[in-house]
C-alpha cells in the first residue's frame, strides 16, 4: 500500500530530506508540503492524505493547533507522526490526546521513521474500510491510546532527552550524554541502561581509559567506532 502523505515542516532543507526518504522505497507518495500552520490546515483539507508528518514548531500556528483544527474538521482524518524538537510534557501529552500515532524527537535515525511509517501502512492495508471485529478494535485502541510504561522513577520527557543526546553525541560516556541532555551522570546512566535493555541503545566498553574500562553508549544502528 502506498500512503498519500503531507509533510509539514518549516525548514525547507529538512522537508526535502523527509520527502526523499519517504519516497525512496515506494511506501509513501508525497502529495504536498507546507511550511506554516495555516497552510498545513488548508493542504490537509484539500488533499485528504493517509499520513501527515508534522512538526510542532511552526510559523502562524503551532503543530498542535494544526492537529486540533484537522481533528475538528469533517473531512477524512489522516494518521499523524510528529517529527519535532518539542519534547516538553505538555506537547507530548497534547499530541497523544489529539491522536498522534507516533512521536519522534529530532534528531532521530531514519530507521526509526521507517519503522513507524511501515506500522501505519500495515494497519491501513489490513483494515481498510471494512468492519472490524472486537479483537481488532481492542488492538487498535490499545495501539493508539497506550502510553509507554517506564520503570518507576523514569519519565517520558527525560527519556526522550537522553535518547536525543545519544543520537547527537554517539559513543559518549554517561556523564557526557547527561550534560547534553541536562541531567546528572547518575540519572543519564539509569536511562541509558533502560535504553540498552530495550535494544534502542548499545553499550561498549572503552579499554583506552586508565583503570576500569568506561562504558560508552550509541544508537543501536550506529556502527561501532
Amino acid at each position: 500500500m502506498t500512503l498519500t502523505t503531507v509533510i509539514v515542516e518549516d525548514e525547507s532543507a529538512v522537508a526535502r530530506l523527509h520527502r526523499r526518504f519517504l519516497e525512496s522505497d515506494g511506501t509513501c507518495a508525497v502529495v504536498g508540503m507546507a511550511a506554516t500552520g495555516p497552510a498545513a490546515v488548508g493542504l490537509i483539507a484539500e488533499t485528504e492524505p493517509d499520513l501527515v508528518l508534522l512538526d510542532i514548531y511552526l510559523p502562524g500556528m503551532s503543530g498542535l493547533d494544526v492537529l486540533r483544527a484537522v481533528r475538528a474538521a469533517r473531512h477524512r482524518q489522516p494518521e499523524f507522526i510528529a517529527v519535532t524538537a518539542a519534547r516538553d510534557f505538555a506537547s507530548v501529552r497534547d499530541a497523544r490526546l489529539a491522536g498522534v500515532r507516533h512521536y519522534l524527537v529530532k534528531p532521530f535515525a531514519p530507521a526509526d521513521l521507517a519503522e513507524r511509517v511501515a506500522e501505519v501502512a500495515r494497519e491501513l492495508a489490513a483494515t481498510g474500510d471494512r468492519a472490524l471485529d472486537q479483537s481488532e478494535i481492542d488492538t487498535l485502541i490499545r495501539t493508539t491510546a497506550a502510553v509507554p510504561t517506564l520503570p518507576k522513577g523514569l519519565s517520558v520527557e527525560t527519556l526522550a532527552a537522553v535518547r536525543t543526546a545519544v543520537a547527537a553525541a554517539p559513543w559518549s560516556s554517561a556523564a557526557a550524554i547527561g550534560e547534553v541532555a541536562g541531567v546528572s551522570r547518575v540519572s543519564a546512566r539509569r536511562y541509558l541502561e533502560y535504553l540498552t535493555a530495550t535494544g534502542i541503545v548499545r553499550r561498549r566498553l572503552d579499554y583506552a581509559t586508565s583503570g576500569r574500562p568506561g562504558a560508552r553508549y550509541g544508537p543501536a544502528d550506529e556502527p561501532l567506532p
Side-chain angles (χ1 to χ4, degrees):
M1 178 181 184
T2 301
L3 303 176
T4 56
T5 305
V6 163
I7 296 171
V8 182
E9 168 63 60
D10 64 327
E11 295 186 26
S12 58
V14 175
R16 290 194 299 270
L17 184 65
H18 287 335
R19 180 169 198 156
R20 287 197 300 271
F21 176 76
L22 289 174
E23 293 185 333
S24 63
D25 64 356
T27 303
C28 297
V30 177
V31 296
M33 300 193 295
T36 70
V41 173
L43 181 61
I44 293 167
E46 176 187 351
T47 59
E48 296 191 344
D50 299 311
L51 175 66
V52 177
L53 237 61
L54 180 69
D55 196 2
I56 299 298
Y57 297 136
L58 295 170
M61 60 193 295
S62 73
L64 293 173
D65 287 333
V66 171
L67 264 171
R68 296 182 185 106
V70 172
R71 292 310 189 207
R74 294 181 179 274
H75 55 70
R76 181 172 178 267
Q77 292 292 313
E79 296 286 355
F80 282 90
I81 298 177
V83 286
T84 178
R87 60 191 191 194
D88 58 283
F89 175 77
S91 293
V92 176
R93 178 199 59 199
D94 291 350
R96 178 179 63 83
L97 291 175
V100 165
R101 174 53 56 89
H102 296 291
Y103 196 107
L104 287 172
V105 177
K106 297 176 181 176
F108 50 83
D112 290 336
L113 178 58
E115 178 185 341
R116 286 151 177 81
V117 171
E119 180 181 314
V120 173
R122 284 194 301 269
E123 184 176 284
L124 292 180
T127 57
D129 294 325
R130 67 179 175 80
L132 306 180
D133 61 31
Q134 185 62 56
S135 65
E136 291 173 318
I137 293 171
D138 292 341
T139 298
L140 181 60
I141 292 296
R142 284 196 299 269
T143 303
T144 304
V147 179
T149 301
L150 296 176
K152 186 176 181 180
L154 302 189
S155 73
V156 172
E157 301 76 41
T158 305
L159 183 69
V162 171
R163 188 172 177 181
T164 299
V166 171
W171 306 116
S172 297
S173 66
I177 290 170
E179 185 174 350
V180 174
V183 298
S184 70
R185 179 189 63 80
V186 173
S187 293
R189 180 161 183 157
R190 288 188 63 203
Y191 284 91
L192 288 165
E193 291 301 322
Y194 170 76
L195 290 168
T196 300
T198 55
I200 295 171
V201 162
R202 279 196 294 170
R203 179 182 61 231
R204 72 172 180 86
L205 296 179
D206 182 5
Y207 292 94
T209 58
S210 59
R212 294 180 59 187
R216 298 289 185 267
Y217 300 88
D221 56 356
E222 180 90 6
L224 289 168

